[in-house]
Amino acid sequence: MRTLLRLTVANVKSLARDRAALFWTIFFPVMFVFLFGWIFGGNGGATTIAVGYVDLDGSAASDGLRQAFGGVELLILHDGSLDDEKAAMQRGDVSAVIVIPKGLGDALAQARSGGATPIAIEVYGDPSRNQTTQVVEGVVGQIVNGVNLQAVGGSAVVTVTELSLQSTSISPVAYLVPSILAMALMQLGVFAAIPLVQQREKGILKRLGATPLARWKLVGSNVLLRLMVALVDMVLILGIGYVFFDVRIQGNLIAVVGVVLLGAGAFLAIGFALASFLKTEEQATGVVQVVQMPMMFLSGIFFSFTFLPGFLQTIARLMPLTYLADAMRQVMVNGTQVAPLGLDIAVLAGWLVVCLGIAARTFRWE
Amino acid sequence: MAQGGEAVIRVADLRRYYGDVKAVDGVSFQVARGEVFGMLGPNGAGKTTTIEVLEGLRTADSGTVEVLGLDVARHQTSVKERIGVQLQSVSLYPRLTVTELIDLFGSFFSRRVPTRELIDAVDLGERAKAWSMNLSGGQQQRLSIALALVNDPELVFLDEPTTGLDPQARRSLWDLIKGLQARGKTVMLTTHYMEEAAELCDRVAIMDHGHILEMGAVNDLISRRFKERAVFFDSSPQLPVADLAGLGGVTRTAQEDGQTVLYSQDVAGTIGALLATADGLNVEPRNLGIRQATLEDVFLDLTGRALRD
């Protein structure tokens, strides 16, 4: 155990002191989050928010409310039935839905004559677009306060109930952050081939083989190092997404960590399998780029690959990164599915097992 | 065989083939405790393959290989615990310091020498915090020897320990290796420098094409073949070696590295006759000199080739 720890520390130090390796494993993905985050930034620079408006009351009082909302320049109202507007929100056509409940007029009338039962306006917001939702809820809150003041001198007859409705069309940034994390994990794993080939070429692996050190510890320390970096990448990328672009994790954090580790493991296995076939460091650097570049651009990292021509989509569906990015979006922001989560996980586990098997059979120590 | 003492290495009829290449083809020898044993031969002679079988890095196709009384193939880990290994031209983790590397390697063994002591022993005190990639060639070799000593081994293997070093660095490494013997360690080394073998080794095995051609103490190897001294000069077409074989005192002749060598029991007579012959042809032998026969001459005599080529 002590040996494994020592070797891992040695690997961590070697990585931390190697600026080129550090750039690729940590700064490159971080840079991408900022770059594309700003390109597709925040609310896309929108100054207005499209909101579905459902009036179930149809009284004089509710007409007054409709006018009040209509007067808010920030909101563009789309009137319709509850079902239509919720569907519009799921499609991403509107960012929130305001529902005026049946009986609002009556409740206000009763309030003026004394005893009244409170009645709630419902606001459906998308938790993955927290900023927008907060703005809409703020506007609704202000108008409701006004109504309460006018009608009953401030006692809360009308309240606001905040409901969440997940839009399947997530914002560009919310799409990007989990995708870039997936890309970072892919590179982390595939690039692991380079130091391995380097260590073999330089005879380091052979020198270690002349000590009583067990080989599984040597492999284990490499795996530990990469999984640690995977978690660092996760914290950095999710942190930047949260702080700068307001992208929140919708799913279970444990599920996110699980997918991160599975993804890192699968690509690490691919890296080890590659290292089995590569002889020189130059070869490794080249081949690793040939492997990672197409995945980076075709696996739907920067935009959904449904925009690609048909044959490229077929290629994209063969790439493991497609499934990792999809799983990552599903557990983080409930993004649109390319495949069911179970299939994503099965594909990644498949790559993990097959590549590990190849590496175990063909890896050469010198 | 070594004089007395228990054998710490026993090799009998070791063979290792790579396809058609017979890298090691029936090698047998023993090394006694406390001895410095050298394998001398050109590149490709099979020295490294032999030493790597002993270190447990390669398997033998056939033959018996015992190190410290243990069958290497069956007791790899126990053998590795007790031996020290320096491999030919190995770089280490380039971005770890001397201290970190010694600490790291120490953690692989159950028994270990304090890091500071090792750094002092190989005289790397001033470079203790330097990354291994920034060390000079000689410093890297000294670090490599420190790593070979990290478990206080009874037996140390050094594969071409001074290849590529300048003469000064080589001298300082020789002192280090002599120090190992003084501390009671058994050393087996390979080299293709005959001066190195002559300087360091109690016994030498001369190897070529996977075979041991001759084995014994350096002086014995030389005196076994050469009672003569060597008269040498730059070869010249006007002085064909065949014409010189009959000169007074000459027992054998050889051509080596552009030089003609006359082995002579009567150096004064041979030189007199040589100069007279040359004078008659109106040529002058260039860079004429005399020396004792060396391991180089032994190798030349055994193989018909110069050792360094």
Side-chain angles (χ1 to χ4, degrees):
Chain A
M1 207 52 218
R2 190 178 67 111
T3 316
L4 185 63
L5 205 70
R6 287 274 195 156
L7 259 178
T8 308
V9 170
N11 282 327
V12 170
K13 281 180 178 167
S14 291
L15 176 69
R17 291 169 186 176
D18 183 349
R19 285 191 197 149
L22 212 55
F23 173 83
W24 284 105
T25 47
I26 295 180
F27 293 109
F28 186 72
V30 163
M31 205 178 73
F32 262 55
V33 177
F34 275 117
L35 189 67
F36 287 89
W38 279 319
I39 291 174
F40 300 120
N43 289 318
T47 48
T48 57
I49 301 169
V51 174
Y53 192 86
V54 182
D55 186 350
L56 299 176
D57 193 38
S59 65
S62 74
D63 285 350
L65 259 183
R66 173 69 179 77
Q67 276 183 8
F69 278 110
V72 180
E73 281 179 18
L74 191 65
L75 305 183
I76 308 290
L77 299 185
H78 295 258
D79 296 285
S81 72
L82 182 58
D83 288 345
D84 287 351
E85 293 309 316
K86 278 168 85 170
M89 184 171 165
Q90 277 172 330
R91 281 196 308 273
D93 293 346
V94 298
S95 303
V97 179
I98 300 170
V99 184
I100 311 301
K102 187 156 181 57
L104 181 89
D106 294 346
L108 284 173
Q110 277 175 19
R112 282 191 202 95
S113 57
T117 41
I119 189 159
I121 292 181
E122 293 172 336
V123 179
Y124 290 90
D126 183 342
S128 72
R129 298 183 173 197
N130 201 45
Q131 267 179 347
T132 309
T133 306
Q134 279 178 357
V135 171
V136 174
E137 282 167 1
V139 170
V140 174
Q142 271 180 14
I143 290 179
V144 165
N145 277 342
V147 170
N148 283 335
L149 256 152
Q150 257 184 344
V152 285
S155 70
V157 175
V158 183
T159 58
V160 180
T161 305
E162 292 159 9
L163 298 169
S164 75
L165 178 65
Q166 188 66 56
S167 167
T168 48
S169 143
I170 55 174
S171 73
V173 177
Y175 181 90
L176 210 66
V177 169
S179 307
I180 288 182
L181 178 54
M183 178 197 80
L185 297 176
M186 177 273 287
Q187 289 177 335
L188 181 72
V190 174
F191 281 123
I194 297 174
L196 270 180
V197 172
Q198 202 176 37
Q199 288 180 9
R200 178 174 53 215
E201 198 184 2
K202 288 188 169 173
I204 296 176
L205 295 182
K206 183 177 173 186
R207 179 64 187 86
L208 293 173
T211 70
L213 173 70
R215 277 180 175 169
W216 71 265
K217 290 184 184 172
L218 185 56
V219 176
S221 73
N222 270 302
V223 173
L224 271 182
L225 165 77
R226 297 278 154 176
L227 292 184
M228 276 159 57
V229 177
L231 294 177
V232 168
D233 276 341
M234 182 191 86
V235 169
L236 273 177
I237 290 171
L238 296 191
I240 292 169
Y242 184 91
V243 172
F244 293 92
F245 304 107
D246 202 44
V247 174
R248 274 141 221 252
I249 298 177
Q250 304 305 316
N252 180 343
L253 192 63
I254 293 171
V256 175
V257 172
V259 171
V260 165
L261 294 180
L262 174 64
F267 282 100
L268 209 49
I270 293 175
F272 284 166
L274 283 175
S276 303
F277 296 105
L278 300 171
K279 289 194 176 65
T280 67
E281 193 187 340
E282 285 82 33
Q283 225 181 29
T285 327
V287 169
V288 156
Q289 290 297 350
V290 169
V291 169
Q292 73 107 7
M293 280 289 183
M295 278 203 276
M296 190 162 111
F297 291 114
L298 295 181
S299 294
I301 297 302
F302 305 111
F303 48 82
S304 166
F305 69 75
T306 50
F307 294 109
L308 294 172
F311 76 101
L312 284 180
Q313 284 196 33
T314 312
I315 293 175
R317 283 193 179 272
L318 296 174
M319 292 178 161
L321 182 57
T322 303
Y323 298 92
L324 177 58
D326 186 50
M328 202 65 88
R329 286 189 296 265
Q330 287 191 46
V331 294
M332 275 179 60
V333 294
N334 299 316
T336 334
Q337 296 187 356
V338 173
L341 187 59
L343 180 61
D344 289 335
I345 288 173
V347 169
L348 292 172
W351 278 90
L352 176 73
V353 170
V354 170
C355 287
L356 218 54
I358 292 174
R361 279 178 169 274
T362 56
F363 192 82
R364 287 164 304 117
W365 298 85
E366 57 175 285
Chain B
M1 167 63 215
Q3 313 81 341
E6 141 214 23
V8 290
I9 299 176
R10 264 181 232 273
V11 176
D13 202 26
L14 169 64
R15 285 168 207 273
R16 183 71 168 99
Y17 299 166
Y18 298 100
D20 293 340
V21 183
K22 298 178 172 179
V24 178
D25 192 18
V27 159
S28 305
F29 62 92
Q30 299 196 0
V31 178
R33 187 173 290 279
E35 203 179 11
V36 177
F37 180 78
M39 288 201 131
L40 177 68
N43 293 326
K47 308 184 303 275
T48 296
T49 303
T50 305
I51 208 168
E52 286 185 357
V53 169
L54 291 171
E55 291 162 350
L57 286 170
R58 284 171 202 283
T59 51
D61 289 339
S62 68
T64 330
V65 181
E66 264 182 38
V67 169
L68 299 167
L70 298 168
D71 180 332
V72 178
R74 279 200 312 219
H75 300 98
Q76 278 206 18
T77 310
S78 338
V79 169
K80 286 173 181 175
E81 274 281 354
R82 291 167 63 193
I83 62 172
V85 170
Q86 185 208 32
L87 299 179
Q88 206 179 115
S89 64
V90 180
S91 51
L92 297 147
Y93 287 91
R95 288 179 177 78
L96 292 190
T97 69
V98 170
T99 310
E100 286 167 347
L101 279 167
I102 296 177
D103 281 342
L104 176 66
F105 273 71
S107 74
F108 302 155
F109 296 90
S110 47
R111 174 175 159 173
R112 60 159 313 179
V113 178
T115 301
R116 192 69 233 177
E117 202 176 291
L118 276 174
I119 290 178
D120 290 340
V122 298
D123 198 22
L124 281 174
E126 286 175 14
R127 304 292 279 153
K129 291 193 168 73
W131 290 1
S132 73
M133 65 190 274
N134 295 332
L135 299 178
S136 72
Q139 288 168 341
Q140 290 202 359
Q141 290 291 43
R142 293 216 295 273
L143 170 57
S144 188
I145 289 186
L147 295 178
L149 300 177
V150 78
N151 55 333
D152 193 20
E154 300 157 56
L155 170 61
V156 184
F157 293 99
L158 307 171
D159 196 1
E160 307 258 352
T162 66
T163 298
L165 298 187
D166 59 63
Q168 201 189 344
R170 176 169 302 154
R171 284 260 156 221
S172 100
L173 219 64
W174 284 356
D175 290 340
L176 192 59
I177 295 167
K178 286 177 192 165
L180 295 181
Q181 188 182 28
R183 281 154 58 193
K185 301 200 183 302
T186 309
V187 178
M188 174 170 170
L189 60 87
T190 70
T191 182
H192 58 267
Y193 298 115
M194 57 109 196
E195 323 88 280
E196 185 160 290
E199 175 86 21
L200 296 176
C201 300
D202 299 320
R203 278 191 315 132
V204 173
I206 295 178
M207 234 185 140
D208 197 30
H209 296 310
H211 299 277
I212 290 179
L213 303 178
E214 194 91 286
M215 187 158 49
V218 173
N219 287 332
D220 288 351
L221 286 183
I222 296 169
S223 62
R224 216 180 279 167
R225 289 178 180 271
F226 296 99
K227 307 250 182 303
E228 317 88 330
R229 284 186 290 168
V231 173
F232 60 90
F233 56 92
D234 290 356
S235 299
S236 155
Q238 285 140 308
L239 288 170
V241 70
D243 294 357
L244 304 174
L247 296 180
V250 173
T251 54
R252 261 177 298 177
T253 60
Q255 297 272 14
E256 163 198 347
D257 273 351
Q259 286 193 326
T260 301
V261 185
L262 309 174
Y263 297 102
S264 169
Q265 289 173 321
D266 172 13
V267 170
T270 303
I271 289 186
L274 171 66
L275 289 176
T277 309
D279 205 35
L281 294 165
N282 213 10
V283 293
E284 190 186 339
R286 301 174 70 85
N287 293 322
L288 179 64
I290 311 161
R291 58 173 166 74
Q292 294 284 352
T294 61
L295 279 176
E296 188 82 49
D297 298 301
V298 174
F299 188 81
L300 185 68
D301 193 50
L302 284 167
T303 66
R305 287 184 295 121
L307 186 51
R308 50 185 138 212
D309 42 9

